[in-house]
Amino acid sequence: MVKFYLTKDGVAPEQLDRFEEKCWIDLVNPSDDECEDVSAFTGISEDMLKAALDEEERARTEFDDGNSMFIVDCPVIEESDGGGDIYTTLPLGVIYNSKCIVTVCLKENTLLRDYITGRERVRTDRPVHFILTFMLGNAKRFLYCLKQIDRKTRRIQSEMEKTMRNTEIIQLLDLQNSLVYFSTSLTSNFRVHDKLNKVEGVATKEEYLDLYEDLLIEGKQAIETCHIYKDILSVTMDAYGSVISNNANDTMKKLTIITILLAIPTMIAGFWGMNMPVPGQSGYAFYETGWFWLVVFGAVILTAMIGVLLLRSNPLKKPLRKKKKREKNKRD
């Protein structure tokens, strides 16, 4: 899809029917024919126009025959199969020359939509100002998505305090993957930001220099915030993994105790069951089965004694007793 826009007197961009000088061309998942037509209008090579259409394209800059290209990663919110949101990144290219500005992306960009509707003011006849404004807004967009990830992480943690299900753990894993994508993209974008000071006019014009300094500040803040959230989420996932492991250990301990308790009477019954008269057996009176009852009562008493010993021998109590003893010695 190809759209042409032109700003006049600082108002919202006006959509055009065809190409004009100093316009802004917005390409969203363009076809080969559309790229060929735009290349003929603008003098920008098709390879440069299609560079940002690769989802794996890294953030970079390129200057060729009067054409300047800046590719940066932009945050994208997608819906997962489970109904939640997945945060990922998508490359977007901004290319300009003496004729026009061209933006290329596989999907519609939220920030560019704000430019089209007039919520954010840009001028198509000032490509350097357009790029600086877009990259500054893109860094702020990353910060907004990071705050959303932090809110969702806190909400999932509060739900997991009540009940721990696989759904919440998978959601945390998706958010952790999103932070990994964001961290890589923000680092790559910051390398592109550093090269902007070589663009003509950025270091000399006060307006451009202010935008550039704000861009560096927002970019560094986004990187630091992403690292903090990623570390917090990593610690949280490790903590929940430990909790799940402890719960499994407690369950296995209980099952082991039950197995031991049931094994004792089974073992004793196996030793004596076939070699003594039992109640109801033909040819034996009830008073002649005394050994049977003796063995049964002995097994019950022995089982109860071993059960009490197992419950009292809690391995967690020993370190606590040692710790209290050390603290008492220190006070003395």
Side-chain angles (χ1 to χ4, degrees), residues 122-253:
V122 291
R123 293 183 57 177
T124 58
D125 59 340
R126 300 172 63 188
V128 178
H129 183 273
F130 184 97
I131 289 177
L132 289 172
T133 304
F134 171 76
M135 290 191 178
L136 179 59
N138 190 51
K140 292 180 178 179
R141 180 69 178 173
F142 267 108
L143 284 171
Y144 169 79
C145 291
L146 287 171
K147 291 179 181 178
Q148 294 297 317
I149 290 176
D150 183 54
R151 290 195 187 99
K152 290 185 177 182
T153 301
R154 295 177 184 274
R155 176 181 57 80
I156 295 172
Q157 288 178 358
S158 62
E159 292 177 357
M160 292 184 70
E161 290 177 359
K162 303 175 184 177
T163 174
M164 191 174 298
R165 298 174 299 181
N166 292 338
T167 305
E168 283 77 13
I169 297 176
I170 293 174
Q171 289 177 358
L172 285 179
L173 182 61
D174 290 338
L175 293 178
Q176 191 175 32
N177 293 337
S178 299
L179 289 176
V180 173
Y181 289 131
F182 276 18
S183 178
T184 305
S185 298
L186 286 169
T187 303
S188 300
N189 286 355
F190 194 76
R191 297 194 189 101
V192 176
H193 299 166
D194 281 339
K195 295 181 181 179
L196 280 171
N197 60 353
K198 300 179 181 179
V199 176
E200 183 180 358
V202 172
T204 56
K205 292 185 178 181
E206 184 177 357
E207 180 184 7
Y208 291 171
L209 186 59
D210 291 341
L211 282 174
Y212 179 67
E213 291 176 350
D214 292 341
L215 171 61
L216 293 180
I217 293 173
E218 294 292 334
K220 290 180 181 178
Q221 183 180 355
I223 292 174
E224 293 174 358
T225 303
C226 184
H227 286 166
I228 292 173
Y229 289 165
K230 186 171 68 171
D231 292 341
I232 292 174
L233 190 54
S234 178
V235 171
T236 302
M237 293 291 290
D238 292 341
Y240 283 128
S242 299
V243 171
I244 294 172
S245 178
N246 289 337
N247 292 339
N249 290 337
D250 291 340
T251 302
M252 293 302 298
K253 180 180 178 181

Side-chain angles (χ1 to χ4, degrees), residues 82-127:
D85 293 333
I86 297 178
Y87 295 83
T88 182
T89 58
L90 200 64
L92 184 144
V94 183
I95 312 167
Y96 75 90
N97 55 17
S98 58
K99 294 182 179 180
C100 63
I101 303 171
V102 181
T103 57
V104 189
C105 190
L106 282 173
K107 296 181 180 180
E108 187 177 1
N109 186 273
T110 303
L111 191 59
L112 294 181
R113 193 187 311 126
D114 293 339
Y115 293 164
I116 295 172
T117 57
R119 293 182 60 184
E120 297 288 341
R121 296 299 177 87
V122 291
R123 293 183 57 177
T124 58
D125 59 340
R126 300 172 63 188

Side-chain angles (χ1 to χ4, degrees), residues 255-269:
L255 292 175
T256 303
I257 292 174
I258 294 173
T259 303
I260 293 174
L261 295 178
L262 293 177
I264 294 171
T266 303
M267 179 182 63
I268 296 176

